[in-house]
């Protein structure tokens, strides 16, 4: 067994430097690597390019990095929940590359799976396809999109073992699996870290080969953005 | 004239037995409340769930189970979770039967704009561009006019496009319309709305053939 465990978040993020490109899992605030984000804030690294479907809210998630002006460029599909983000973007302080959500996911998966690029119909005929190669297949137009290139991938899983195998929970899975192994170094934080052998190999979502370092996360807030409920009876 | 629930109620009639359906944020989300309970339908949310159920009971919310609108939800028997790449594989691969989404503008050739107002509002396209580029069957749910009273059914979209020539049907507070090569074909009027009212509120070419029936809700 090849052991991937590291003692804590600061060991896990060793090597993160100013100017790096970092992928972060999560959809909204669901399934975000809370511990790794806090550590990026503590480290104070600057001029980051962040690849993440959303940009957090003003005081949580990636919003914490935006507040400290640590991000130079965001690559996201939807950023509607963050006023500070919108302000920095409209004023030109923050460079933003908006990417269709399925394309964003596939650009991660392509990087993970060794594809340099792929054709997708998403964005054809819109400003997203401007300057990109387009091609017709079977009478339909497609846009050539390239795989992401990133230095670190920071993901969050529900359970993981010493070998780096991961299991996700519910819709907290989202972008996390496709980001594993999609950067030079993949750091996974988990709610429950167990010895190798305790997780059923049949149940593993992401094999440890895609994970460089794994650590036991702590103090998960798991903030809910829209608490919607119904009354009993 | 219909309210938002009325629009959702009318669209629910387009949902057929055996359909996998993706509902966008806003009015489309309400459609789930009006689907007949004697048919089998599964709702897909692009953040990674198929078989979405109603909101949880108070105290049973789970931060790890949300829909694309970031609302807490539940799942129904037969549900499944999956990652974003697989989710958009479902969408791009045309395994989802019906997509219902909102729009700021629709053009008479089926172009749609719903993600950006330059210099004012830039929230992003989310999954909308993937959905409209891939889905075979797209229904737009929206008000017929904007807050300033201007038509949202146009000859050409003025806002940045989300997708080209993709909208098939539109249900508004005033009418049900089909996108045809000749323009918007009026299919039904909302209760209490005249053909003349719809003409007034539609900037794009409107095709009116014969008697236009009132919607049955």
């Amino acid at each position: 067994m090849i052991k991937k465990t590291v003692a804590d978040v600061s060991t896990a993020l060793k090597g993160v430097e100013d100017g790096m490109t970092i992928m972060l899992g999560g959809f909204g605030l669901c399934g975000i690597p809370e511990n790794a984000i806090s550590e990026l804030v503590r480290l104070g690294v600057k001029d980051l390019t962040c690849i993440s479907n959303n940009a957090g809210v003003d005081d949580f998630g990636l919003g914490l990095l935006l507040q400290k002006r640590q991000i130079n460029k965001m690559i996201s599909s939807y950023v509607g929940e963050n006023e500070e983000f919108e302000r920095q973007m409209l004023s030109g302080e923050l460079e933003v590359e908006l990417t269709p959500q399925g394309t964003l996911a596939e650009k991660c998966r392509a990087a993970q799976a060794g594809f340099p690029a792929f054709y997708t119909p998403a964005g054809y005929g819109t400003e997203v396809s401007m300057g990109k190669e387009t091609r017709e297949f079977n009478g339909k137009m497609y846009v050539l999109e390239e795989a992401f290139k990133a230095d670190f991938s920071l993901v969050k899983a529900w359970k993981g073992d010493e070998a780096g195998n991961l299991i996700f929970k519910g819709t907290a899975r989202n972008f996390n699996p496709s980001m594993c192994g999609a950067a030079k170094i993949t750091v996974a934080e988990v709610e429950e870290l167990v010895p190798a052998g305790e997780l059923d190999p049949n149940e593993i979502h992401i094999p440890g080969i895609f994970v460089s370092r794994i650590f036991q996360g702590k103090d998960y807030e798991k903030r809910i953005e829209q608490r919607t409920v119904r009354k009993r009876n | 004239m219909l309210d938002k629930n009325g629009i959702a109620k009318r669209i629910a009639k387009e949902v057929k037995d055996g359909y996998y359906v993706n509902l966008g944020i806003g009015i489309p989300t309400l459609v789930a409340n009006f689907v007949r309970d004697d048919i089998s339908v599964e709702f897909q949310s692009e953040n990674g769930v198929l078989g979405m159920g109603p909101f949880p009971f108070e105290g049973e919310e789970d931060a790890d189970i949300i829909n694309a609108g970031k609302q807490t939800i539940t799942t129904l028997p037969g549900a499944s979770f999956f990652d974003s790449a697989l989710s958009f594989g479902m969408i791009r691969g045309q395994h989802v039967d019906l997509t219902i989404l909102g729009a700021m503008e629709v053009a008479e050739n089926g172009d749609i704009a719903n993600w950006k107002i330059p210099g004012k509002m830039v929230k992003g396209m989310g999954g909308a561009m993937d959905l409209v580029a891939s889905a075979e069957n797209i229904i737009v749910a929206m008000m017929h006019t904007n807050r300033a009273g201007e038509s949202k059914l146009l000859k050409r979209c003025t806002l940045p496009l989300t997708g080209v020539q993709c909208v098939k049907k539109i249900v508004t507070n005033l009418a049900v319309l089909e996108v045809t090569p000749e323009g918007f074909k009026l299919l039904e009027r909302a209760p209490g709305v005249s053909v003349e009212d719809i003409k007034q509120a539609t900037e794009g070419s409107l095709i009116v053939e014969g008697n236009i029936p009132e919607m049955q809700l």
Side-chain angles (χ1 to χ4, degrees):
Chain A
M1 192 261 298
I2 300 172
K3 213 170 167 175
K4 301 290 173 72
T5 42
V6 293
D8 52 26
V9 65
S10 52
T11 322
L13 291 200
K14 222 174 152 204
V16 173
E17 289 170 13
D18 292 355
M20 279 188 164
T21 297
I22 300 183
M23 288 181 166
L24 299 104
F27 182 95
L29 301 177
C30 183
I32 58 172
E34 294 185 20
N35 285 220
I37 291 171
S38 302
E39 181 64 12
L40 290 175
V41 173
R42 196 191 67 80
L43 287 170
V45 282
K46 297 188 302 284
D47 301 330
L48 300 175
T49 293
C50 290
I51 299 167
S52 169
N53 188 55
N54 312 89
V57 294
D58 283 315
D59 62 342
F60 199 56
L62 283 181
L64 299 170
L65 291 174
L66 287 165
Q67 271 180 13
K68 297 259 170 94
R69 304 276 202 283
Q70 288 174 263
I71 304 175
N72 241 2
K73 181 178 178 181
M74 277 296 313
I75 301 174
S76 305
S77 87
Y78 190 82
V79 293
E81 262 71 62
N82 191 319
E83 279 175 36
E84 176 62 13
F85 183 101
E86 202 158 347
R87 192 197 63 73
Q88 288 185 25
M89 172 167 64
L90 293 173
S91 70
E93 290 165 60
L94 180 70
E95 189 187 341
V96 178
E97 189 177 311
L98 287 166
T99 302
Q101 197 175 138
T103 301
L104 186 81
E106 202 61 20
K107 281 162 81 87
C108 298
R109 209 192 68 87
Q112 175 192 61
F115 295 109
F118 57 91
Y119 285 100
T120 175
Y124 177 76
T126 75
E127 58 186 64
V128 165
S129 67
M130 279 183 348
K132 290 175 186 163
E133 187 185 324
T134 57
R135 186 169 158 183
E136 187 183 322
F137 292 93
N138 305 317
K140 186 169 173 165
M141 293 303 295
Y142 293 80
V143 184
L144 186 70
E145 293 281 0
E146 290 184 23
F148 283 129
K149 290 184 192 71
D151 298 293
F152 271 82
S153 175
L154 309 178
V155 305
K156 150 85 189 344
W158 179 34
K159 292 178 184 173
D161 68 14
E162 295 170 292
N165 296 308
L166 303 177
I167 296 176
F168 302 89
K169 186 184 152 221
T171 54
R173 192 181 316 189
N174 56 64
F175 288 83
N176 287 297
S178 304
M179 287 180 174
C180 292
K184 286 175 196 151
I185 295 174
T186 297
V187 175
E189 57 178 270
V190 295
E191 286 176 57
E192 196 183 340
L193 183 62
V194 300
E198 279 200 17
L199 301 178
D200 180 346
N202 285 303
E203 311 272 303
I204 303 295
H205 292 138
I206 283 291
I209 192 169
F210 292 114
V211 175
S212 324
R213 304 168 186 167
I214 187 168
F215 69 96
Q216 169 69 59
K218 58 179 185 185
D219 304 329
Y220 284 105
E221 185 177 334
K222 290 201 187 181
R223 199 184 289 187
I224 292 174
E225 266 177 85
Q226 307 284 339
R227 188 179 297 275
T228 44
V229 294
R230 71 190 143 129
K231 291 258 177 259
R232 277 175 207 280
N233 79 52
Chain B
M1 199 192 297
L2 301 176
D3 60 6
K4 289 179 176 180
N5 276 305
I7 295 172
K9 205 169 173 182
R10 174 60 191 81
I11 292 177
K13 291 178 67 182
E14 306 287 325
V15 179
K16 304 284 191 302
D17 190 37
Y19 269 17
Y20 293 104
V21 183
N22 179 287
L23 300 177
I25 295 164
I27 302 173
T29 307
L30 302 171
V31 172
N33 301 334
F34 300 106
V35 173
R36 279 162 47 188
D37 51 14
D38 60 339
I39 61 172
S40 302
V41 172
E42 283 193 25
F43 291 106
Q44 195 251 20
S45 195
E46 63 268 23
N47 59 317
V49 55
L50 191 60
M52 229 191 318
F55 294 147
F57 289 120
E58 230 167 331
E60 291 179 2
E61 316 89 274
D62 184 339
D64 291 329
I65 303 180
I66 63 168
N67 64 16
K70 285 107 180 173
Q71 297 171 312
T72 45
I73 53 155
T74 58
T75 54
L76 296 172
S80 56
F81 296 117
F82 35 84
D83 68 78
S84 301
L86 192 62
S87 179
F88 281 92
M90 268 171 218
I91 290 164
R92 212 182 294 108
Q94 300 188 335
H95 306 283
V96 176
D97 299 291
L98 175 63
T99 291
I100 303 167
L101 77 174
M104 296 173 186
E105 296 177 347
V106 176
E108 62 187 39
N109 67 348
D111 288 358
I112 177 172
N114 72 353
W115 71 284
K116 183 178 183 182
I117 303 173
K120 258 193 194 163
M121 189 285 296
V122 191
K123 291 183 184 299
M125 67 290 281
M129 283 194 183
D130 307 89
L131 283 157
V132 300
S134 307
E136 286 277 310
N137 195 2
I138 299 171
I139 301 178
V140 164
M142 66 178 191
M143 304 308 273
H144 211 99
T145 52
N146 64 21
R147 282 189 191 129
E150 298 156 342
S151 182
K152 294 170 72 173
L153 289 97
L154 308 174
K155 286 196 180 307
R156 275 180 192 287
C157 291
T158 61
L159 296 170
L161 295 180
T162 307
V164 293
Q165 297 177 32
C166 51
V167 177
K168 300 283 177 342
K169 200 175 240 187
I170 305 152
V171 179
T172 74
N173 52 329
L174 304 183
V176 179
L177 308 105
E178 189 188 344
V179 176
T180 70
E182 291 75 41
F184 298 115
K185 187 178 177 191
L186 184 57
L187 299 182
E188 297 172 24
R189 299 173 289 115
V193 174
S194 69
V195 171
E196 197 48 43
D197 294 335
I198 297 163
K199 275 185 188 162
Q200 289 287 328
T202 309
E203 191 229 76
S205 321
L206 186 72
I207 302 156
V208 184
E209 283 174 3
N211 240 342
I212 305 300
E214 193 172 284
M215 286 178 206
Q216 301 296 313
L217 292 167

